[in-house]
Amino acid sequence: MLELLPLFFPVIPTAIYSQTTQKSEIVAENQLVSPLPGELNNIPVFNSNSPELVLGEGILLSTFPSDNKSDENAHLNFPFEGRFDIFAHHVSKPPTEDDKRTLYLGIIVHNPTSEPVSIDILQGASYLSQPDAPFITLPSKVEGSNIYAGPGSRVMGDILRGKRQEIFPPNIIIPAGESRMLLNLPIPIHSLTPPLNGRSSYMRLYSSGKVYVASLAMYQDTEDNPPSLSQWENLLTNASLSTPRDKAPTPPEAQGQRIYGRVAGVSQGNMWKTDLTDSPSTPLLTIPNAGEAFSYGLSTLVGGTLGTNQVQTAPLLVRYPDTAYSAHGNYSLQYSLTLPLFNPNNEAKTVNIAISTPVKQDTPGVNFLNPLPTQTFFRGLVQVKYNDDNNIPRLQYFHLVQKRGEKGENLVTVTIPPQSQKLVSVDFLYPPDATPPQILTVSTQ
């Protein structure tokens, strides 16, 4: 029986972790961490995560123009067209002890043009922490495709496997000058102890024309009475940003302790797809010498580049002044990595691939902790594809749960004949409630 944990949403990187706990010792690994080849694509992502804990009605994120709106500063005037994604991750608890209302999360899309606009929902998922995806205790690595701990883990697992949840139609038509709801769902809390719940949502979309998007918060007396479209439209026109606000971020150029802040804006890039090779002009990745290893940074960020000087964080095209300067953590961004492994030796070599969560640092090196602290820094599904030692194609899924400073177990082990090549691919969507950075490690036994 899996142990149910108290509901919580762990600290996403709003604070810096530069000190080890008294009971943990640093375990240094002598291996190189290289910048990840390639770069983010340019697909925009509507990124709604601030305030994470919603305690008041209002606008969470609006890319509408400010024309005819009561609070001009609440609207960022950013139209979407063609491919774009929507990410929303918010938590509810009663603003006061005796408040029995239910918070609804609404995502509204408006067509400002004179022609109908069609929006294809290519993939989509939205889950509550309770009861859809509670934070349960799982081992560090479990094989299986339908395993999750927390709503962010479950949503990203669905998208990784190409799913569209049944609550989403394949397509919606928005008439000229009108709006429609993409999402209109509750975050119920009053049957829970403590009364705390969260909802994670992600959609991959294609729009035939220009549209504006907003995520909104509204209270209703019950959880089975969603607000109407006109109620949402009225709130969008007349409300201000939801308060209280999250902690304001530290400016990127500041020194010392850093508050990254939470994201409310449009981030640029939904995928980092690349081949890991010896150099841009070489189609192969030469394996390490026997007993050695090398790594690539994953989701590296300001203050946590592991000596690579590479910040992979998605930039923000528009944002509110009191929210994150960039999309630290890269929540929902897909890493799609191909490793064309090459064995240059005259004998067969066995190679391992792993993902780990080393101690966050800017200086070169890979440091782990022993014993491990209690903070979970990564929980999500990873897909691996390769040909096994019998040259049979394998597609496997592993759900990983890693503490801060945890060295990950091997995801793939392949034996490569002398002077031969084997292709391995690793895919995952960076899950909400994870804390960067991570590394992808190639080691030779």
Side-chain angles (χ1 to χ4, degrees):
M1 177 72 71
L2 295 172
E3 177 191 1
L4 288 178
L5 292 179
L7 178 70
F8 70 105
F9 279 72
V11 175
I12 315 175
T14 56
I16 188 169
Y17 293 90
S18 58
Q19 302 293 326
T20 61
T21 64
Q22 291 182 343
K23 297 181 180 180
S24 297
E25 295 182 354
I26 289 286
V27 179
E29 294 275 342
N30 183 23
Q31 65 192 61
L32 174 70
V33 180
S34 297
L36 192 67
E39 60 185 358
L40 287 170
N41 64 13
N42 292 320
I43 290 178
V45 179
F46 178 94
N47 198 321
S48 180
N49 186 216
S50 180
E52 186 195 41
L53 179 60
V54 179
L55 296 174
E57 289 188 331
I59 296 165
L60 302 172
L61 172 61
S62 169
T63 74
F64 280 64
S66 59
D67 302 347
N68 303 315
K69 304 293 193 299
S70 295
D71 184 355
E72 294 183 356
N73 295 325
H75 306 277
L76 298 176
N77 192 20
F78 186 95
F80 296 92
E81 188 169 2
R83 272 288 288 116
F84 71 99
D85 291 356
I86 291 177
F87 169 67
H89 179 74
H90 296 281
V91 179
S92 176
K93 76 172 185 179
T96 61
E97 187 175 345
D98 59 348
D99 193 328
K100 300 301 183 182
R101 298 173 302 165
T102 295
L103 184 73
Y104 268 78
L105 175 66
I107 296 180
I108 189 171
V109 183
H110 178 69
N111 170 15
T113 74
S114 58
E115 300 289 337
V117 166
S118 171
I119 294 184
D120 296 328
I121 303 176
L122 308 174
Q123 293 167 245
S126 181
Y127 292 111
L128 294 164
S129 177
Q130 305 286 353
D132 302 336
F135 289 102
I136 57 175
T137 299
L138 291 173
S140 296
K141 186 183 81 169
V142 183
E143 184 173 359
S145 62
N146 194 31
I147 299 169
Y148 45 84
S153 165
R154 186 172 185 181
V155 167
M156 298 304 129
D158 273 16
I159 302 300
L160 178 64
R161 292 178 294 145
K163 293 185 174 296
R164 185 180 65 245
Q165 194 180 359
E166 63 277 1
I167 62 172
F168 295 103
N171 175 273
I172 63 171
I173 304 296
I174 306 178
E178 295 189 19
S179 299
R180 292 292 183 268
M181 302 303 298
L182 269 181
L183 199 72
N184 189 3
L185 294 174
I187 308 180
I189 54 176
H190 296 293
S191 62
L192 304 176
T193 304
L196 178 71
N197 208 352
R199 179 178 289 281
S200 293
S201 306
Y202 196 73
M203 287 164 270
R204 287 178 169 171
L205 308 169
Y206 180 86
S207 176
S208 65
K210 184 168 75 171
V211 294
Y212 295 102
V213 183
S215 58
L216 309 167
M218 187 187 302
Y219 285 106
Q220 294 288 86
D221 290 335
T222 66
E223 62 186 67
D224 56 1
N225 182 32
S228 65
L229 174 60
S230 61
Q231 286 177 291
W232 286 119
E233 289 175 323
N234 180 65
L235 185 141
L236 176 69
T237 300
N238 297 306
S240 297
L241 291 175
S242 172
T243 58
R245 308 293 291 162
D246 281 327
K247 286 184 178 181
T250 305
E253 66 276 5
Q255 302 298 311
Q257 184 170 5
R258 181 178 303 280
I259 296 173
Y260 291 97
R262 298 189 185 277
V263 178
V266 177
S267 53
Q268 184 175 36
N270 76 341
M271 182 176 289
W272 192 302
K273 183 178 177 65
T274 189
D275 295 331
L276 307 184
T277 60
D278 293 336
S279 71
S281 60
T282 304
L284 300 175
L285 180 62
T286 303
I287 63 173
N289 295 326
E292 297 182 0
F294 56 74
S295 299
Y296 295 92
L298 299 173
S299 200
T300 52
L301 71 168
V302 173
T305 66
L306 302 172
T308 64
N309 294 319
Q310 182 187 47
V311 173
Q312 296 174 14
T313 304
L316 289 174
L317 301 172
V318 291
R319 54 178 281 272
Y320 297 118
D322 65 344
T323 62
Y325 285 89
S326 56
H328 300 293
N330 281 341
Y331 296 154
S332 74
L333 186 145
Q334 182 166 351
Y335 283 90
S336 184
L337 312 175
T338 301
L339 295 81
L341 301 172
F342 176 65
N343 174 15
N345 301 282
N346 293 322
E347 63 274 352
K349 295 292 183 182
T350 300
V351 178
N352 299 315
I353 309 291
I355 290 175
S356 298
T357 301
V359 175
K360 174 175 169 281
Q361 60 190 55
D362 238 357
T363 53
V366 176
N367 293 317
F368 297 109
L369 296 177
N370 184 37
L372 292 172
T374 58
Q375 308 116 320
T376 295
F377 269 35
F378 187 93
R379 51 164 71 82
L381 195 67
V382 178
Q383 177 198 82
V384 295
K385 291 187 285 189
Y386 63 100
N387 282 7
D388 66 15
D389 293 343
N390 296 315
N391 208 33
I392 297 174
R394 298 290 185 189
L395 170 62
Q396 292 178 290
Y397 291 91
F398 297 97
H399 188 274
L400 305 183
V401 177
Q402 294 183 354
K403 307 294 186 182
R404 173 177 177 251
E406 182 167 352
K407 185 175 183 178
E409 301 177 40
N410 294 330
L411 298 174
V412 177
T413 298
V414 292
T415 300
I416 307 177
Q419 302 291 325
S420 296
Q421 175 187 352
K422 274 203 174 179
L423 197 65
V424 176
S425 70
V426 178
D427 277 77
F428 68 98
L429 278 79
Y430 200 87
D433 282 328
T435 302
Q438 278 70 36
I439 55 173
L440 179 75
T441 300
V442 181
S443 61
T444 302
Q445 291 182 9

